[in-house]
Amino acid sequence: MNPAIDWDVLADAAVEARKHAYAPYSGFAVGSAVLTDAGDIVSGANVENSVYGLGICAERVAISAAVAQGARRIVAIAVCADIEPPARPCGPCLQVMAEFSDDIPILLCSTQSLRHLSSLRELLPQPFSLPRPS
């Protein structure tokens, strides 16, 4: 694991965020925490809706909250769910991560303290991108 990242602190933030998930339909609570390039940790939890397509994953909640606070680069992310092996982010979440980083380490963890370190490029090797305006 990357020694510059305190994975214990990031994982703890994701575990704590999971406690705030709103998952009355699936019962699948997920917490996430992102580390920004400014050194801030911002967390989020999944929020379901009776119109299933309107739900939002914990990863996108955390990234959106970080962006709302001024972040533009994500350095690392932790995702926690109560499942073994630890859950992986969905495709839309990976694509959102790619918007704010070329590649980042992703810590997948379970509530039983299982951990697996992966990366954005491992899980999404060829993200979609548009040319940035000059």
Side-chain angles (χ1 to χ4, degrees):
M1 293 186 183
N2 188 334
I5 298 168
D6 189 336
W7 289 110
D8 290 331
V9 170
L10 201 60
D12 288 347
V15 168
E16 187 63 29
R18 183 183 171 277
K19 295 176 184 175
H20 302 288
Y22 179 75
Y25 305 104
S26 72
F28 189 68
V30 180
S32 182
V34 297
L35 176 64
T36 70
D37 61 349
D40 298 320
I41 293 177
V42 183
S43 61
N46 59 319
V47 179
E48 294 181 350
N49 189 282
S50 60
V51 176
Y52 293 150
L54 297 180
I56 185 168
C57 299
E59 299 92 306
R60 286 183 279 155
V61 170
I63 292 169
S64 295
V67 169
Q69 293 175 20
R72 293 297 179 264
R73 297 295 296 167
I74 301 299
V75 175
I77 187 166
V79 182
C80 178
D82 186 19
I83 190 170
E84 295 177 26
R88 294 177 176 207
C90 68
C93 286
L94 292 168
Q95 182 61 47
V96 170
M97 289 176 206
E99 185 70 22
F100 298 99
S101 179
D102 296 328
D103 191 17
I104 57 171
I106 301 172
L107 180 65
L108 309 172
C109 56
S110 73
T111 55
Q112 293 79 29
S113 300
L114 291 177
R115 292 184 178 187
H116 174 75
L117 187 61
S118 189
S119 71
L120 177 59
R121 286 295 170 248
E122 179 182 345
L123 299 175
L124 185 69
Q126 296 180 340
F128 175 79
S129 65
L130 289 172
R132 301 225 181 236
S134 36

